[in-house]
Amino acid sequence: MAENSSAEERTEQPTPKRLKEAKEKGQVPRSRELNTLAVLLASAAALLLLGEHMIGSLLGIMRHGFSLERGAVTDPARLTGFLAGSVGEGLLAIAPLLGLLLVVAALSPLALGGWTFSTKAVAFKLEKLDPIKGMGRIFSLKGLMELGKTLAKFLLVAVASAMILWSQVGELQSLTQEPVNRALAHAGTICLWAFLLISSVLVLVAAVDVPFQLWQHNKQLRMTHKEIKDEHKETEGSPEVKGRIRAIQREMAQRRMMQEVPTADVVVTNPTHYAVALRYEREGDGAPRVVAKGADLIAQQIRTIAEAHGVAVVSAPPLARALYALVEIDQEIPAELYVAVAHVLAYVYQLDAATAQGREPPQPPQDLPVPEAFR
């Protein structure tokens, strides 16, 4: 039992195929703390840069609203048009802030896990309504981590807020001595800077949450040894099937090779261990080409087919060994073997001529000039 348990432990890193399938299902690492931090910092920066302009525009809309004529207030048509115009101007005033927040909210997930869209992630699953699994998620390691993050955020924000308020006590007290308009502007600046500083504190939470989410995602996708083997078989095919395919491919290649033997000009043999069939296109500019070769049983088949189709068979062991070892099927012979092969072809042509004229056949070539390095 212990061996089976350890064998099923997810100790292997996820494969690229597993990661791709998880992404297609919408299962990618995500950090809500990172997204929240990005949105809060963008909001604080936008308010500091654009706040004065937006507030000025909104104040202008309010002033215009309070300066309506009496007739406009009692006329429903004019009042509706005025309200619609005021709403449109208000939206235009805050449009830069809304646009920035929309862009940041859309792009911040790209920092962790990249962009992904999956219908499987939003599909209805009955198991999500299971209360037992729901309780399991709450009291899981991830649930405890979420609770810890919530408490950490509360403490950090509380401590940061207290420190900022304590450091701004003098500024806040001086507001009572300023004119109303200046005091309001001063208070708004203090609030915006406090908002920015408090938001920056959440960097600590995001710095812990991002590595945790990456680790959690990797842990969920880890695989067992069996899953690795099954995926390899699914991707590459089982060894038995691959072996059978290779055997069929060899058989087909051998059959095609044997079909080329009758077109050869000569078969050079060892005489029993090797056989190499050569063909020379007299009208072409190329060198003689190997159209078939083999050893032992295949060599015997090549000789049998050659003899059955009247192809000359010449015993030249050094040349046969060199051709078998150095030249692949459908390749030209190397230049170092030109002279030796030329002697063999000349003998074949003389043999054909003698046979056609009824003369004595010539003597087979002896001691062919095969370089020592090719023997």
Side-chain angles (χ1 to χ4, degrees):
M1 294 294 291
E3 292 181 359
N4 293 338
S5 176
S6 62
E8 293 301 322
E9 290 181 359
R10 298 182 179 275
T11 57
E12 302 300 318
Q13 293 296 323
T15 61
K17 182 174 181 292
R18 181 69 171 265
L19 293 173
K20 181 181 178 182
E21 291 176 349
K23 189 170 184 179
E24 291 175 352
K25 296 177 182 178
Q27 189 178 356
V28 293
R30 285 286 185 258
S31 174
R32 287 182 294 179
E33 308 306 326
L34 180 63
N35 299 343
T36 302
L37 174 64
V39 172
L40 290 177
L41 291 178
S43 302
L47 289 173
L48 284 172
L49 295 174
L50 306 174
E52 184 177 355
H53 173 72
M54 288 190 296
I55 291 175
S57 299
L58 294 175
L59 285 176
I61 295 172
M62 292 181 65
R63 291 193 188 97
H64 183 58
F66 285 114
S67 62
L68 279 177
E69 300 177 357
R70 184 180 181 86
V73 176
T74 57
D75 187 351
R78 293 179 60 187
L79 184 60
T80 302
F82 176 79
L83 289 175
S86 299
V87 171
E89 292 177 4
L91 291 176
L92 287 176
I94 63 175
L97 175 62
L98 297 179
L100 177 62
L101 295 182
L102 179 62
V103 172
V104 172
L107 296 181
S108 57
L110 297 178
L112 188 66
W115 179 265
T116 181
F117 176 79
S118 174
T119 56
K120 297 180 181 179
V122 298
F124 175 77
K125 295 181 180 179
L126 190 61
E127 61 182 14
K128 293 181 179 179
L129 303 178
D130 189 345
I132 297 178
K133 292 185 178 181
M135 295 296 293
R137 287 192 293 268
I138 293 175
F139 294 101
S140 64
L141 178 61
K142 187 174 182 179
L144 294 176
M145 185 67 180
E146 293 296 330
L147 177 61
K149 288 190 298 182
T150 302
L151 294 176
K153 285 190 291 184
F154 173 77
L155 292 175
L156 284 173
V157 171
V159 171
S161 301
M163 293 177 63
I164 291 173
L165 287 174
W166 181 260
S167 65
Q168 296 295 320
V169 168
E171 293 287 337
L172 294 175
Q173 290 177 346
S174 67
L175 293 178
T176 59
Q177 302 176 3
E178 298 179 2
V180 176
N181 292 339
R182 184 182 300 174
L184 290 174
H186 192 183
T189 302
I190 294 175
C191 291
L192 289 178
W193 278 107
F195 177 38
L196 179 61
L197 294 175
I198 293 173
S199 301
S200 301
V201 172
L202 297 179
V203 171
L204 299 176
V205 180
V208 176
D209 184 59
V210 169
F212 173 77
Q213 295 298 335
L214 292 173
W215 173 81
Q216 182 75 11
H217 177 70
N218 182 270
K219 181 182 178 182
Q220 291 175 348
L221 296 182
R222 282 180 183 174
M223 307 171 68
T224 64
H225 288 288
K226 185 177 184 303
E227 289 175 336
I228 294 286
K229 292 180 180 179
D230 291 343
E231 181 182 299
H232 180 74
K233 288 182 179 180
E234 181 182 347
T235 304
E236 302 294 336
S238 65
E240 295 80 7
V241 175
K242 292 171 65 177
R244 179 57 180 164
I245 292 175
R246 285 195 294 267
I248 294 174
Q249 290 174 341
R250 287 194 298 268
E251 183 179 349
M252 294 175 63
Q254 182 177 339
R255 188 180 299 114
R256 288 194 299 268
M257 181 183 70
M258 292 302 179
Q259 292 174 353
E260 294 293 330
V261 174
T263 67
D265 292 313
V266 63
V267 173
V268 183
T269 65
N270 193 28
T272 57
H273 294 296
Y274 301 109
V276 181
L278 298 175
R279 183 173 63 210
Y280 178 54
E281 301 291 344
R282 298 174 179 79
E283 298 178 356
D285 297 330
R289 188 180 301 272
V290 173
V291 295
K293 70 175 185 177
D296 299 328
L297 291 178
I298 298 178
Q300 182 179 353
Q301 293 178 11
I302 292 175
R303 291 195 302 272
T304 301
I305 295 174
E307 292 171 354
H309 289 81
V311 178
V313 178
V314 178
S315 176
L319 180 59
R321 289 194 297 268
L323 290 171
Y324 181 85
L326 300 176
V327 188
E328 297 298 329
I329 296 175
D330 202 32
Q331 287 186 353
E332 295 182 352
I333 64 173
E336 291 82 357
L337 299 178
Y338 280 179
V339 176
V341 172
H343 285 314
V344 172
L345 291 176
Y347 164 73
V348 171
Y349 299 152
Q350 293 173 5
L351 180 63
D352 290 342
T355 302
Q357 298 174 6
R359 295 185 286 104
E360 289 292 329
Q363 292 295 324
Q366 303 293 328
D367 297 328
L368 294 173
V370 178
E372 288 295 331
F374 286 71
R375 289 178 179 269

